[in-house]
Amino acid sequence: MINVALPKGRLGDKVYEKLAAAGYECEDLLDKKSRRLVFENAARGVRYFCVKPTDVPVYVERGAADVGIAGRDILLEYEPDVYELLDLGIGRCRMCIAGRRGFYDDTDRPLRVATKFPRIARSYYEGKGRDIDIIKLHGSIELAPILDLSDVICDIVETGSTLKENDLVVLEEVEPISARFIANKISWQFKHDAVAAMRNALAAETEDGR
């Protein structure tokens, strides 16, 4: 039995569609009214449980799940000790630096960066040799430069509409983001055939563009 940690929400729904198309369906998972936490299809040898997206790597790293699907942003931020086996091509967006129009970077002082992703921001600016002051926020990141709490933000950009509506623009692109298929290292060793089979089936679906 392969234990799969699925992220809750829209991304999880898209991932499940791909898994079902790859032969790992579980009809009970489609019942949105159910309060069950674990869903199983013994015939297909698969067991699903849905968790908060940021928790997926924790379940996989600690072995509660053999495999899972996590955004590249989460993997970069938390750096879990897992194998990243496949880019599913789902949930594509960008990690970007954004700020007010006409922003000028005064290098005589630390750059104030508001973000939900301090590790990613710090790593990016260390690579540029830029001294920064990290301001960790949990919501409404775009508000920070508007109220002069920060100079710029480091955040995920999908369509860019929120930035545009608040007169902010993308200044730099840090990293392309998409959903990744990850595996527990011990599971990859002891359940290798089953995990590899799931990975290959998903790869076939991804390559077909379905």
Side-chain angles (χ1 to χ4, degrees):
M1 185 72 69
I2 297 294
N3 294 305
V4 183
L6 280 179
K8 290 181 178 179
R10 184 175 56 182
L11 177 61
D13 292 340
K14 291 181 179 179
V15 170
Y16 173 72
E17 288 177 6
K18 193 175 285 286
L19 281 159
Y24 295 93
E25 69 279 359
C26 183
E27 294 298 324
D28 290 345
L29 192 59
L30 299 176
D31 183 4
K32 299 301 181 181
K33 295 181 181 180
S34 175
R35 292 187 175 273
R36 289 171 55 190
L37 300 174
V38 179
F39 303 87
E40 181 178 308
N41 184 341
R44 297 300 301 149
V46 63
R47 181 185 294 117
Y48 291 105
F49 49 92
C50 299
V51 299
K52 189 176 179 179
T54 52
D55 289 342
V56 170
V58 179
Y59 280 88
V60 176
E61 181 179 30
R62 300 253 176 188
D66 298 304
V67 300
I69 292 83
R72 177 68 174 155
D73 54 321
I74 294 172
L75 299 178
L76 288 172
E77 181 63 26
Y78 296 101
E79 296 184 340
D81 188 21
V82 298
Y83 289 132
E84 185 179 317
L85 301 180
L86 180 67
D87 181 351
L88 293 172
I90 301 173
R92 291 193 183 279
C93 52
R94 300 173 294 158
M95 182 69 66
C96 294
I97 304 299
R100 289 169 291 187
R101 294 183 184 277
F103 168 75
Y104 169 74
D105 185 4
D106 181 1
T107 56
D108 290 335
R109 62 174 178 80
L111 181 70
R112 297 172 301 160
V113 184
T115 185
K116 299 175 186 176
F117 306 95
R119 188 191 298 271
I120 293 175
R122 189 171 293 110
S123 176
Y124 177 70
Y125 280 107
E126 282 179 355
K128 295 166 69 71
R130 184 68 170 95
D131 188 21
I132 64 171
D133 174 18
I134 292 286
I135 302 169
K136 177 69 182 292
L137 296 176
H138 300 278
S140 301
I141 302 297
E142 295 84 2
L143 194 58
I146 295 173
L147 298 182
D148 199 34
L149 175 64
S150 72
D151 300 308
V152 297
I153 64 174
C154 177
D155 201 15
I156 290 174
V157 175
E158 294 185 52
T159 64
S161 59
T162 302
L163 293 178
K164 185 176 181 180
E165 288 178 11
N166 290 281
D167 202 29
L168 301 175
V169 295
V170 171
L171 302 171
E172 303 170 58
E173 182 172 324
V174 176
E175 182 87 16
I177 302 296
S178 58
R180 308 300 169 97
F181 181 67
I182 61 175
N184 174 270
K185 289 188 172 181
I186 294 176
S187 297
W188 179 247
Q189 180 180 358
F190 290 99
K191 295 185 178 181
H192 180 80
D193 290 348
V195 173
M198 180 176 283
R199 183 260 175 214
N200 293 339
L202 283 170
E205 288 298 317
T206 300
E207 290 167 3
D208 288 344
R210 291 180 289 185

